[in-house]
Amino acid sequence: MLNKSAWRNALYLLPAVLVYAVFLLLPLLASLGISFTEWDGTSLPIFTGLSNYLRMFQDPVFWVALGNNALLMLFYTLLPIGVGLLLCSFLYDTRNGRERSVLRILFFLPYIMPMAVLGVVWRWLYNPAFGPIDQFLRAIGLPQLALSWLGDFTWALPAVGFVATWYFFGFCLVLFMAGLQRMDPSLLEAADLDGSSRRQKFMRITLPSLRPELRIALLLTVIASLKAFDLVYVMTQGGPGTSTMVTNIFMYKQGFDLHYFGYASAVAVFSMLIVLMINAIIHLPFGSDTDARNAHCLTRADLDGRADDYPAVFNGADDLVQNPDGAVPGRIHAAFVTELQKLRHRLAAGTFQRLLYELGAGGDPSGDQQHSVRHFGGIWLCLVEDSRQESGGGNVRAWHGAAD
C-alpha cells in the first residue's frame, strides 16, 4: 500500500521510471551529447563544440523548414480549433441527441486513422491524372483548377495542410463538446432571461468556459505542427524542392540520408527547445485552473469603488452562496443563476417566478421587491431584495449577472 514508507512507494514507481528513462531520458541525453560532435553513425564521434548549431543557424534550408512549420500551424492549430468551435456550438444547440451523437462520431472518424494512411489516401485523391478531385473539377467544366496539387510549388503546402485540418478538427470538436457538458446549463438560461443573443452567449459564456479545453487543443496541435513528419513525408517527402520541407524531414535527411548525425541531433535539440518555449507561452494567457474557474468573476475595482452596493455575507442566507470574501478574496461571481435556483427553497413559487421576471425585464408592478441595477464593464448586476420574508428567514439578497 502507498504511503507506508518512502522505499515501498519508490518500488511501485520503479517500473514506470525505468521505462521512461530507457526510452526517453537516455535517448534525449544521447542526442544532446551527439549534437556537439561530428558523427557519421559508424566511426568514433569527434567533438566539435557548437559548430553544428552555428551551421544550423547559417543554413537557409533550415530556416525555410522552420518557416514551413510556422505556416503549418495555421492548418494544424487555428483552422481545426476554429472549425471545432463552430461545429461544437452548432451541435450543442441540436436538440436531437441521436443526431448529435452520429455527427460527432462522423467528424471524429479521421482522427482515429494513422496519419501515414491518410497521407496515402489523400495522395491518391490529389493525383493529377486519375485523382477524384481533378476528375471532378474537369467534369464540372473547371479544368483550369485541376492542378498538380502536390507538385505545385505554391499549392503543395496548403494541400498537405488541408489534410491536417481535416484530421484535427474532429479531435477539437470532441474535446470542446466534453467541455460544454461540464458547463452549468443555468448560465445559458440566465443569459436567455437577460435577452442575450447567440453571439453574446458564445463570446461571454461558452468561450470562457472552454478555456481549459482550448489550452489543451492549442498545446497538442501546436506540438503536432512542429513535429509534423509522417503526413508530409508520405505525401511529398518535403518537395517539390523545399516547398513542404519541415524541420523533422530536414533532420531525417541530414541524419539518415547524408549521415550527418551530429548536425541532425542539433536540429532535434533546437526543435525540442522550441516546443518547450511554445508550451510555456501557451500557458501564460490561460493562467491556472483557478483562474479559469474564476473567468466570470468581477473584482471590487470593477465595481467602481462601490463596495457597499453588495452584501458581503448575503444577510445570513447560508444556503445561498459562500462568502465572496472567503475562498476567492475580493471577488463576486457574475453568474448567480445557481443561487437564484436555490431561492426555490426559501420563496413561494409565485414570488420566485416574479423575481426571475424582474431580473429579465426589470420593474415590479406590485412593489413587493426592490432591486437596484448597476452596469459595470459590460456586466449587468442586479441586487434583489424580497421584503415579504415568506419563509421567515430574513431578507434574501442575491446577485445576478449577465454579459451584454
Side-chain angles (χ1 to χ4, degrees):
M1 182 181 296
L2 292 179
N3 299 325
K4 284 289 186 179
S5 67
W7 287 106
R8 180 174 295 184
N9 294 343
L11 288 177
Y12 281 107
L13 297 175
L14 184 60
V17 172
L18 288 176
V19 172
Y20 184 82
V22 170
F23 293 101
L24 183 65
L25 293 182
L26 290 181
L28 179 61
L29 295 175
S31 180
L32 179 62
I34 294 172
S35 68
F36 296 104
T37 67
E38 180 181 340
W39 187 45
D40 61 3
T42 56
S43 60
L44 291 177
I46 301 173
F47 181 77
T48 58
L50 297 175
S51 61
N52 287 324
Y53 292 94
L54 296 176
R55 175 186 173 186
M56 177 182 63
F57 292 133
Q58 296 172 359
D59 193 337
V61 179
F62 168 76
W63 292 108
V64 170
L66 194 60
N68 288 337
N69 277 107
L71 289 176
L72 282 179
M73 287 187 188
L74 171 67
F75 299 97
Y76 273 76
T77 302
L78 298 182
L79 289 179
I81 289 178
V83 174
L85 284 173
L86 291 176
L87 290 177
C88 176
S89 179
F90 167 74
L91 291 181
Y92 189 75
D93 291 336
T94 302
R95 299 300 180 184
N96 192 323
R98 180 176 300 179
E99 178 182 345
R100 181 192 308 171
S101 299
V102 170
L103 290 175
R104 184 167 50 186
I105 292 173
L106 290 177
F107 290 142
F108 188 72
L109 277 179
Y111 191 73
I112 67 177
M113 298 179 63
M115 262 200 168
V117 175
L118 293 180
V120 173
V121 173
W122 278 92
R123 187 176 61 185
W124 169 73
L125 293 173
Y126 281 134
N127 191 286
F130 51 81
I133 295 177
D134 283 355
Q135 293 281 4
F136 174 76
L137 292 174
R138 295 188 186 98
I140 62 175
L142 297 174
Q144 68 275 12
L145 298 181
L147 305 175
S148 178
W149 300 98
L150 300 180
D152 190 279
F153 283 85
T154 303
W155 290 101
L157 189 64
V160 175
F162 175 79
V163 180
T165 301
W166 180 71
Y167 177 80
F168 277 107
F169 89 91
F171 163 75
C172 295
L173 169 65
V174 172
L175 187 63
F176 298 150
M177 289 292 293
L180 288 182
Q181 289 177 356
R182 66 171 175 77
M183 185 178 71
D184 189 354
S186 58
L187 298 178
L188 296 177
E189 295 174 4
D192 289 333
L193 289 173
D194 291 324
S196 301
S197 65
R198 293 187 63 178
R199 182 188 65 83
Q200 291 170 333
K201 288 189 292 185
F202 178 79
M203 296 300 297
R204 300 297 183 89
I205 298 177
T206 303
L207 197 58
S209 299
L210 291 176
R211 288 180 66 186
E213 287 74 21
L214 281 170
R215 179 170 57 185
I216 294 173
L218 270 175
L219 185 62
L220 295 181
T221 54
V222 167
I223 291 176
S225 68
L226 294 173
K227 293 172 57 180
F229 176 80
D230 44 3
L231 180 65
V232 181
Y233 187 81
V234 169
M235 295 186 70
T236 63
Q237 296 189 5
T242 58
S243 58
T244 60
M245 179 70 69
V246 291
T247 53
N248 277 357
I249 290 183
F250 178 75
M251 174 188 64
Y252 175 84
K253 291 188 174 182
Q254 292 295 324
F256 294 97
D257 290 349
L258 302 177
H259 300 287
Y260 297 143
F261 287 102
Y263 185 34
S265 297
V267 175
V269 171
F270 186 75
S271 300
M272 179 192 68
L273 294 178
I274 293 177
V275 170
L276 294 178
M277 180 181 65
I278 291 180
N279 182 18
I281 293 174
I282 289 175
H283 281 76
L284 287 178
F286 289 92
S288 64
D289 291 338
T290 301
D291 293 335
R293 286 193 296 267
N294 296 330
H296 300 290
C297 292
L298 300 177
T299 63
R300 292 180 184 234
D302 295 327
L303 296 178
D304 199 20
R306 306 174 68 172
D308 295 335
D309 284 348
Y310 64 92
V313 294
F314 290 87
N315 289 337
D318 296 330
D319 59 332
L320 292 183
V321 291
Q322 294 181 351
N323 184 352
D325 293 324
V328 187
R331 289 181 177 268
I332 305 175
H333 285 274
F336 271 86
V337 70
T338 303
E339 283 65 53
L340 294 177
Q341 295 291 345
K342 294 178 182 178
L343 285 173
R344 293 181 186 273
H345 302 294
R346 300 180 61 87
L347 303 178
T351 304
F352 178 75
Q353 293 299 328
R354 282 196 295 273
L355 186 146
L356 291 182
Y357 170 81
E358 292 309 313
L359 291 178
D364 181 17
S366 66
D368 290 328
Q369 298 171 359
Q370 300 175 357
H371 67 276
S372 58
V373 180
R374 303 287 186 266
H375 183 268
F376 301 99
I379 302 292
W380 284 104
L381 292 176
C382 301
L383 174 60
V384 181
E385 180 177 354
D386 190 305
S387 60
R388 296 185 299 176
Q389 307 179 23
E390 296 186 24
S391 63
N395 292 346
V396 176
R397 296 185 176 186
W399 280 98
H400 172 75
D404 283 350

